[in-house]
Amino acid sequence: AQGCGAFQAREVDGIDDMSELLTAAGFPQFASPTFIGQLYDTLGYSTVADLALIYEDALGSSDDFQELGIRQEDAATIQRAAKVELVARRIEKLWLDDGAKTVPDDRTADNLAKQLYAAGYEEPESLRWIERKEALQLGLTESEWRSLTRLPPPPPPRERDEL
């Protein structure tokens, strides 16, 4: 029974995270629990990491997306927001786990993630390969760069059952 509760908590967190991301990305119409339930039922989406694949999925199964009312342009915007969020989470993890953010400043993980995304670091895993000079130019500190290049890769996204 305890495992079941943990599963339910993970699902609630996934729904809340997806709802927040969709609202922040400018799609409050897709952020309701009912619509997110439809995303799960139709596409198997239950996390922000799933939304990081939405554009490619939209290209492959446009009928499902038309049924849901998600245009390809919307899917591209949602995917970008999800990828930026995943990079921001990686930076936040770095700051918390490694104490790499050693000086108080006004930088946010979201702002850094947007800069990194724009520079081509669209996946959390890609941060491991950033060169020192580029990292410093993009606003990371020496300590943050060292921690990023040492971090083990994040676990792979949960496999979704093919529908």
Side-chain angles (χ1 to χ4, degrees):
Q2 208 171 19
C4 187
F7 174 77
Q8 289 173 342
R10 210 170 36 246
E11 290 301 308
V12 169
D13 288 344
I15 290 169
D16 289 345
D17 289 350
M18 289 173 66
S19 180
E20 287 174 22
L21 179 107
L22 290 165
T23 300
F27 299 98
Q29 71 274 26
F30 302 146
S32 73
T34 301
F35 189 84
I36 291 175
Q38 291 173 332
L39 279 175
Y40 180 78
D41 292 343
T42 306
L43 303 170
Y45 287 12
S46 62
T47 66
V48 170
D50 293 332
L51 292 175
L53 304 171
I54 194 169
Y55 182 70
E56 284 85 6
D57 289 349
L59 293 176
S61 63
S62 60
D63 291 344
D64 289 338
F65 284 85
Q66 284 180 347
E67 182 182 318
L68 290 167
I70 300 174
R71 301 174 309 160
Q72 285 185 351
E73 307 86 60
D74 298 343
T77 301
I78 292 166
Q79 178 169 302
R80 179 188 185 281
K83 286 186 172 190
V84 167
E85 174 64 20
L86 294 175
V87 170
R89 288 179 183 180
R90 182 62 174 242
I91 292 167
E92 288 171 347
K93 179 178 176 14
L94 169 80
W95 287 344
L96 290 173
D97 291 351
D98 291 354
K101 188 173 181 180
T102 56
V103 292
D105 56 35
D106 59 356
R107 297 176 307 152
T108 65
D110 189 54
N111 288 339
L112 276 175
K114 287 176 183 173
Q115 290 176 303
L116 290 163
Y117 183 91
Y121 298 95
E122 298 179 9
E123 309 282 340
E125 303 82 40
S126 65
L127 297 174
R128 294 178 55 216
W129 311 113
I130 191 169
E131 296 290 328
R132 179 184 173 276
K133 182 178 178 181
E134 185 175 18
L136 297 175
Q137 288 172 341
L138 290 170
L140 294 168
T141 66
E142 178 88 20
S143 173
E144 291 165 341
W145 171 74
R146 287 185 192 282
S147 294
L148 276 176
T149 57
R150 279 191 272 121
L151 278 178
R158 194 168 46 123
E159 293 293 321
R160 293 192 311 256
D161 294 330
E162 293 298 319
L163 300 177

